[in-house]
Amino acid sequence: MMKIKTNEHYSNLKQSYLFSEIAKRVQAYKTAHPDADVIRLGIGDVTLPLPQTVVEAMHRAVDEMGVQETFRGYAPDFGYDFLRQAIAGHYASFGVTVSPEEIFISDGAKSDVGNFVDILGDNTVLIPDPVYPVYLDSNLMSGRTVRFLTGNEENGFLPMPDGLEEMPYVIYLCSPNNPTGALYSLDQLRQWVSFANRTGSLIIYDAAYEAFISGTEPHSVYAVAEARTCAVEICSFSKTAGFTGTRCAWTVVPPELKTVDGVSLQALWGRRQATKFNWVPYIVQRGAEAALSEEGMHECMEHISYYMENAALLADLFRKKGITFFGGVSSPYIWLKCPGGMKSWEFFDYLLNRVQIVGTPGEGFGAAGEGYFRLTSFGSRESTVEAVRRLDALL
Ligand code: MLT
């Protein structure tokens, strides 16, 4: 028997991570019903193959790796310049200035969200509810004090700082929001940035779904220039370019982010990453660069249109059924109210058992998500059409 101490804060977590819990329940169902044709609209995992431009760039990179003159070993700290420059160019395409030196390449937004807690001390943390569960879990793992910013139908799932005690916080914002699809306007972001600068707070801004924005809402927190003194931004190729299995993302940490004692967050994040992370393979970084090229972005946007057509099919059904829902515009997720006052895990079981459709219970995104349910539009067209048919017959 070991006599070591473990991280006691892990006992504050639910037993399984949300998407592992869903996978476990689906596996149990499939074991009991081996012939069931289960449609997975739970985790937001893409189904279209990588854009051709990306595939070709990665093939070229593989060839380079097989030749002495162009072979590469460890990647440079923080990512290759070509990719950091391409990302800066992506920001410029929607009018935001970010310099390559403040961009840190990583293997995923989930990793960066989870790891950023490492360089922060014991602050009070504000987390929207409902939201992507990694924000809460990673802060619980570090024993942080968490307060929730409740999103609901009244505030359009967009909590604002009004009424918050004026003190320094670490504030998580996600826009377009996962799971609700709600997105902050420029004016709302200005209010958050002004609050953060006034109170000496840090905003951790998750922009993983920015490519899905179809209106004029900001794609980046740096659309508000003053965010450079109070915000880091995390973004990813996963949903934009189909990289869920390929892995590449980035975090922007501007040099202006300094504590009152003069500590630079950029220096700390660089130190943390240089020590604990071995970077993203050259081949993948070349693929990511290609995704941001003109042709690559064109293909990415075609894929996004395909997913948004899936979202429209689901949305049409819920409209026809008179079921309240949100999202599905500027977001690959449909966030619906469970019919008949069902609780969200109850509705999960109901759909799985009755029509073999897997979604994500709203409660998994926070207490305020109870009574709601998330469906992803990242399935294939065939499976989405079939899901709509089954739901039409059931609901
Ligand atoms: C989700 O379904 O919320 C996401 O796919 C999970 C993730 O990106 O880690």
Side-chain angles (χ1 to χ4, degrees), residues 166-184:
E166 299 257 331
M167 57 175 271
Y169 302 96
V170 171
I171 306 164
Y172 287 79
L173 296 179
C174 178
S175 182
N177 176 276
N178 176 12
T180 66
L183 56 167
Y184 283 111

Side-chain angles (χ1 to χ4, degrees), residues 17 19 42-45 110 132 134 178 209 239 333 365 374:
Y17 176 56
F19 295 106
I43 192 165
D45 193 6
K110 178 181 177 181
Y132 184 43
V134 178
N178 176 12
Y209 296 92
K239 315 296 156 97
Y333 300 123
F365 297 99
R374 193 194 77 174

Side-chain angles (χ1 to χ4, degrees), residues 337-373:
K337 214 165 180 167
C338 301
M342 266 190 258
K343 292 203 175 271
S344 54
W345 279 105
E346 200 186 338
F347 191 53
F348 173 90
D349 288 333
Y350 179 69
L351 289 190
L352 182 58
N353 288 309
R354 296 289 294 273
V355 285
Q356 293 74 54
I357 292 174
V358 181
T360 308
E363 190 267 344
F365 297 99
E370 181 55 284
Y372 292 87
F373 200 74

